[in-house]
Amino acid sequence: MDPESRSRSPESRSWKAYRTTLLLAYQSFGVVYGDLSISPIYVYKSTFSGKLRLHEEDAEILGVLSLVFWTLTLIALCKYIIFVLGADDNGEGGTFALYSLMCRNTKMGLLGTPQAAHEHLSAYKLETSSKETRTSLSVKNFFEKHRTSRIALLLFVLLGTSMVIGDGVLTPAMSVLSAVSGLRIKIPRLNENCTVFVSCIVLVGLFALQHYGTHRVSFLFAPILIAWLGCISGIGIYNIFKWNPDVVRALSPYYVYNFFKKTGKDGWSSLGGVVLCITGAEAMFADLGHFSKLSIRVAFAAVVYPCLVVAYMGEAAYLSKHREDLQSSFYKALPESVFWPVFIIATLATVVGSQAIISATFSIISQCRALGCFPRVKIIHSSSHIHGQIYIPEVNWLLMLLCLAVTVGFRDTNMIGNAYGMCFFTFHFDYNKTEWNGVMWAYDIFPFPGLAVIIVMFVTTCLMFLIITTVWKQSIFLVLLFVITFGSFELLYFSACLTKVPHGGWFPLIFSLIILLVMSTWHYGTAMKQAFELQNKVCLDHLLSISPSLGLVRVPGVGLVYSNIMTGVPPMFAHFVTNFPAFHRILIFVCLKTLTVPKVPVDERFLIGRIGPPEYRLFRCIVRHGYKDGGRDSHEFENQLLLKVAEYLQQEVGDSLVNGEMSVVGQPSNPVVDAVVGSERTETSKKRVRFREAVREDVRQEVRELVEEREAGVSYMMGHTCVLAHESSSFIKKFAINVVYGFLRRNSRRPAVALGMPHTSLIEVGMVYQV
């Protein structure tokens, strides 16, 4: 490289990073901000439903505007953009990412803490203060001493994630059906069946697009959201100057105080409508893995936030002069000349609004699956550059079926509104009249998305309390400032939402609790299965000592024995040998560990050690993956594993490792070893000569045997277990293990399929575990 090109390289790298950030910020409009951006359509209408209709004066209108402004500013801007995004787990977001970050740095979680074998990983090294504070020690000691508190914390986290997944069923159905219902303005005679049919077609198309990945979907949807934000901000500026420029005074928090002073309890009950202005704010953190912190911060702070504030101010300015239009304020505030263009863009924007929750559902389920809290599903990484952009076929089509069932079952937005709790009044009025067409809306319907959103946000606040104290190790003053500022806001909204659950919010609430039951039962069953294997593992020396009586023979080939235990012999292998006394000449016990980090570098992934004397040709390999690492191709994994074993043999000679000691095998240190292990029968003899000159004779013989046995064939062995509760167990445990966990295991992807093992080389050993 010439000096001139080297001098330009830092500048080119800076420009590339700048361009990548802007590109990701552009894509985030089509995925992250859809739900948040369509809130101006219904916030004022929902807020001034119920008893607040008795307080339709300027003070109340400006008070609601002040509440909306400060809610957006404190929760969306300050809490999420400034603080919560800074607590990412190596680029991953969501409540489960916060929990995994805490588990990795403390012993407060149930998903595993860093063992001595894993502590050296670069992913575990965080730039945090090493000095423990009195608060951090108190919190850690409490959770470490009380196992029930750790169980309660995990259930609390799973509750937040289940709320997001449950919201992912109703949001697409409500948004799409509301948008399609707008056709009745143009075609008044369009009947309900046609509306439902068209809605189902749109839903199928929306979920079919997910197959193309976040990258392509975001490019398709981003222009729609940008056009929508441009429309509402431009109309907002127009309304401010035309109707009431003094509306900017409502940005003062005094108007919040004045609002509650005048409305009292009626104002408190209306907070369920105000909280809808931040529906979708949690997606900024949940969808972080699809983009980056900087891109989401730039998009929200520079475009989304100012556009939404101006839109709410413009609508309030119009309402201050047209109080009679409170129940149809958004479209009534539109200039007549732009009504239809804005209506078309709004229809598309409401459809796009579902994308945020769909992408967030993919990210959350991916994290839960990897950490043992969700049944095995297929994860497809749709981008080679942004690792968090994923697609889950089973979840996608299941969500689609559930959305279709809700659409067909409820049939119109009024009925879904009772369950969803959010009245999408947008498309059911005559623009030339002040009367509603068709249905009479129930104004006291509970805005359940507000409850789901507030629960997720409160869970995030509580986890941030633990992160700030135990991971960041900040002072108690900063911790209390964060919790009191944001927690009090969220508890106030939560109390207002909670009183109206009987008005329809029970349906998605029960659905979320079912998801919570599924995740907690799967985690419990998986933990019981692993505990049984640890308790019943067999000592290898004992197994080899009885081998003469069994008539044990070694057959040609390499055997890869998969299990979840890191020491000893898995019970299924002992069961296999006692019934069929033969195994391969080279045997490698493989343990796949998913750590509480998003990704593990390739050069730190393999931890290899020898079992027994060298003549046994027995090895153990612990393969460490992060919860966001991609799928594993069996042939590629086989090549990497055998290469690492050969490198370990060379390292064993050079470092004089003690027998049985595990060692991390990184990038190839000797190209000769790489050449020999990766060789086929057509490999040239020249590289074999270089290999003989590089290592000792015994190691050369072992590697040669490794190559020869690999050419003889590689077999995969794993257990095909049936987990049953013990006969003396309680009824609840029998129901959880035998019924729920058994049903989930039978209907999830088999481990061999999830790992991509070739069916012709697979040996499955059947066993029954009594837990």
Side-chain angles (χ1 to χ4, degrees):
M1 183 183 294
D2 59 277
E4 184 179 357
S5 61
R6 283 198 300 268
S7 64
R8 290 198 305 264
S9 60
E11 181 180 353
S12 63
R13 286 195 298 268
S14 176
W15 165 247
K16 184 178 180 180
Y18 177 75
R19 184 180 61 182
T20 301
T21 300
L22 290 181
L23 181 62
L24 290 175
Y26 170 78
Q27 292 179 342
S28 68
F29 286 108
V31 174
V32 179
Y33 302 109
D35 197 11
L36 186 65
S37 298
I38 62 175
S39 298
I41 296 178
Y42 46 77
V43 165
Y44 281 104
K45 185 267 171 186
S46 298
T47 304
F48 283 97
S49 63
K51 295 180 180 180
L52 202 63
R53 285 178 292 171
L54 304 175
H55 305 273
E56 297 179 352
E57 302 296 331
D58 282 357
E60 288 79 5
I61 294 173
L62 296 181
V64 170
L65 172 61
S66 187
L67 275 170
V68 169
F69 171 76
W70 285 107
T71 301
L72 266 177
T73 302
L74 288 176
I75 301 298
L77 181 63
C78 295
K79 177 186 172 181
Y80 275 94
I81 293 297
I82 296 178
F83 290 105
V84 177
L85 284 180
D88 67 299
D89 189 16
N90 291 341
E92 293 298 326
T95 53
F96 230 85
L98 289 176
Y99 184 69
S100 68
L101 178 65
M102 185 191 64
C103 290
R104 190 168 70 247
N105 289 273
T106 67
K107 299 179 181 179
M108 297 162 51
L110 292 177
L111 299 185
T113 54
Q115 303 176 3
H118 309 317
E119 288 178 345
H120 67 279
L121 287 173
S122 59
Y124 278 109
K125 299 174 183 177
L126 303 176
E127 296 180 0
T128 57
S129 173
S130 59
K131 184 180 180 180
E132 294 283 357
T133 64
R134 182 178 303 177
T135 305
S136 65
L137 289 174
S138 300
V139 173
K140 288 181 179 179
N141 290 335
F142 175 79
F143 279 94
E144 291 173 5
K145 290 180 180 179
H146 301 88
R147 178 175 171 80
T148 54
S149 64
R150 300 198 297 272
I151 296 175
L153 179 61
L154 177 61
L155 292 176
F156 190 59
V157 173
L158 294 179
L159 175 63
T161 58
S162 63
M163 284 293 175
V164 177
I165 299 172
D167 196 24
V169 174
L170 287 177
T171 296
M174 187 65 198
S175 299
V176 172
L177 189 56
S178 299
V180 175
S181 297
L183 294 173
R184 293 184 181 180
I185 293 179
K186 187 68 174 177
I187 313 174
R189 296 183 179 180
L190 189 68
N191 59 39
E192 184 181 271
N193 292 331
C194 292
T195 303
V196 172
F197 178 73
V198 174
S199 298
C200 291
I201 293 177
V202 175
L203 280 171
V204 172
L206 175 64
F207 284 98
L209 286 174
Q210 306 304 317
H211 172 73
Y212 294 99
T214 307
H215 178 76
R216 294 180 177 87
V217 171
S218 60
F219 266 108
L220 177 64
F221 288 167
I224 299 174
L225 260 295
I226 292 175
W228 168 249
L229 290 171
C231 287
I232 62 175
S233 59
I235 293 169
I237 294 173
Y238 169 82
N239 286 328
I240 290 172
F241 285 101
K242 181 175 182 179
W243 300 113
N244 188 1
D246 292 336
V247 77
V248 296
R249 295 178 301 166
L251 302 184
S252 169
Y254 167 77
Y255 285 86
V256 176
Y257 164 78
N258 193 46
F259 171 79
F260 287 112
K261 180 180 178 181
K262 288 182 174 294
T263 60
K265 186 177 179 180
D266 295 341
W268 168 76
S269 64
S270 69
L271 291 178
V274 176
V275 75
L276 296 179
C277 72
I278 52 173
T279 53
E282 72 282 1
M284 292 189 294
F285 188 50
D287 288 330
L288 179 60
H290 294 264
F291 303 99
S292 67
K293 289 188 293 185
L294 183 58
S295 63
I296 290 179
R297 282 170 169 163
V298 168
F300 181 81
V303 181
V304 178
Y305 176 73
C307 287
L308 289 177
V309 170
V310 170
Y312 285 118
M313 290 174 62
E315 195 170 347
Y318 174 84
L319 288 176
S320 66
K321 304 300 181 182
H322 304 83
R323 299 186 186 92
E324 69 279 3
D325 293 334
L326 275 169
Q327 298 306 321
S328 53
S329 58
F330 181 81
Y331 280 95
K332 290 288 187 177
L334 296 179
E336 188 172 358
S337 58
V338 299
F339 173 79
W340 285 110
V342 174
F343 173 81
I344 294 173
I345 296 175
T347 303
L348 296 174
T350 54
V351 176
V352 175
S354 305
Q355 185 60 45
I357 197 66
I358 294 174
S359 299
T361 301
F362 289 162
S363 295
I364 289 174
I365 289 180
S366 173
Q367 297 173 9
C368 294
R369 178 204 63 83
L371 295 176
C373 293
F374 200 85
R376 291 178 294 270
V377 290
K378 183 178 182 180
I379 308 293
I380 297 177
H381 292 262
S382 57
S383 173
S384 58
H385 302 288
I386 306 299
H387 196 77
Q389 295 186 357
I390 59 175
Y391 166 69
I392 307 178
E394 294 99 326
V395 174
N396 182 68
W397 300 123
L398 181 59
L399 279 178
M400 185 194 73
L401 292 177
L402 292 173
C403 288
L404 292 176
V406 170
T407 303
V408 174
F410 286 95
R411 302 191 67 80
D412 62 35
T413 53
N414 189 23
M415 295 181 65
I416 299 180
N418 284 275
Y420 190 76
M422 183 162 57
C423 304
F424 273 82
F425 65 96
T426 309
F427 307 106
H428 292 275
F429 66 91
D430 191 332
Y431 180 72
N432 296 316
K433 300 178 183 180
T434 58
E435 301 291 330
W436 286 93
N437 286 334
V439 295
M440 181 65 185
W441 292 88
Y443 292 114
D444 61 346
I445 289 174
F446 167 63
F448 179 75
L451 179 60
V453 167
I454 285 301
I455 289 177
V456 174
M457 291 182 175
F458 186 69
V459 170
T460 302
T461 299
C462 294
L463 290 177
M464 283 298 297
F465 163 77
L466 298 176
I467 294 295
I468 295 173
T469 53
T470 62
V471 179
W472 294 351
K473 301 182 180 66
Q474 298 298 317
S475 67
I476 187 63
F477 173 77
L478 293 177
V479 175
L480 291 178
L481 181 64
F482 180 89
V483 173
I484 292 175
T485 302
F486 302 117
S488 59
F489 243 77
E490 292 160 357
L491 287 177
L492 179 64
Y493 283 124
F494 179 77
S495 64
C497 294
L498 195 61
T499 59
K500 297 184 179 180
V501 171
H503 292 271
W506 58 268
F507 174 76
L509 184 60
I510 290 179
F511 184 79
S512 298
L513 292 179
I514 292 174
I515 297 174
L516 173 61
L517 175 65
V518 169
M519 292 194 294
S520 57
T521 303
W522 181 266
H523 174 73
Y524 176 72
T526 303
M528 290 294 99
K529 175 178 175 290
Q530 293 178 354
F532 180 89
E533 292 181 342
L534 286 174
Q535 294 172 1
N536 293 273
K537 64 182 181 180
V538 181
C539 177
L540 182 65
D541 293 335
H542 173 70
L543 186 65
L544 294 176
S545 64
I546 63 174
S547 60
S549 61
L550 295 176
L552 191 67
V553 296
R554 307 292 291 270
V555 298
V558 177
L560 305 181
V561 182
Y562 286 78
S563 70
N564 293 317
I565 61 175
M566 299 173 59
T567 58
V569 177
M572 67 91 181
F573 181 75
H575 178 68
F576 173 80
V577 171
T578 54
N579 288 274
F580 189 81
F583 58 87
H584 297 82
R585 291 174 182 168
I586 294 181
L587 197 66
I588 304 175
F589 292 94
V590 182
C591 177
L592 302 178
K593 298 293 292 185
T594 300
L595 308 181
T596 53
V597 292
K599 289 176 284 187
V600 175
V602 177
D603 57 343
E604 300 178 354
R605 185 164 295 172
F606 292 86
L607 188 63
I608 297 178
R610 188 193 292 276
I611 303 175
E615 59 270 17
Y616 284 178
R617 301 295 192 262
L618 300 178
F619 303 91
R620 184 180 306 281
C621 177
I622 301 174
V623 186
R624 300 168 294 189
H625 290 88
Y627 60 79
K628 296 293 283 186
D629 277 323
R632 301 149 193 156
D633 177 76
S634 61
H635 183 70
E636 180 183 355
F637 175 77
E638 174 189 312
N639 289 336
Q640 290 181 346
L641 177 60
L642 297 180
L643 171 63
K644 300 305 179 184
V645 171
E647 292 175 22
Y648 168 80
L649 294 175
Q650 183 189 27
Q651 183 176 329
E652 186 181 36
V653 174
D655 297 345
S656 299
L657 294 175
V658 180
N659 183 33
E661 182 178 351
M662 305 291 285
S663 175
V664 177
V665 181
Q667 296 291 350
S669 57
N670 192 330
V672 181
V673 178
D674 188 10
V676 173
V677 178
S679 65
E680 302 295 336
R681 287 194 170 120
T682 57
E683 195 74 20
T684 60
S685 59
K686 180 178 180 180
K687 293 183 178 180
R688 294 185 182 272
V689 172
R690 293 175 58 191
F691 177 81
R692 296 190 188 97
E693 297 173 353
V695 295
R696 284 184 354 187
E697 182 67 24
D698 53 349
V699 176
R700 180 183 62 184
Q701 180 63 28
E702 275 198 86
V703 175
R704 179 182 294 132
E705 289 181 10
L706 180 65
V707 176
E708 293 174 352
E709 298 300 338
R710 178 196 175 184
E711 293 175 348
V714 177
S715 297
Y716 302 82
M717 180 184 298
M718 65 177 3
H720 185 75
T721 57
C722 178
V723 183
L724 297 175
H726 198 272
E727 294 181 358
S728 61
S729 302
S730 64
F731 171 78
I732 296 178
K733 182 176 180 179
K734 288 181 179 179
F735 178 79
I737 297 296
N738 299 348
V739 180
V740 181
Y741 183 70
F743 174 81
L744 294 175
R745 279 182 60 86
R746 289 191 299 271
N747 291 276
S748 63
R749 294 174 66 87
R750 293 169 52 235
V753 176
L755 295 173
M757 295 180 180
H759 187 71
T760 55
S761 303
L762 178 63
I763 303 172
E764 288 188 299
V765 182
M767 284 196 69
V768 176
Y769 288 178
Q770 293 279 348
V771 297

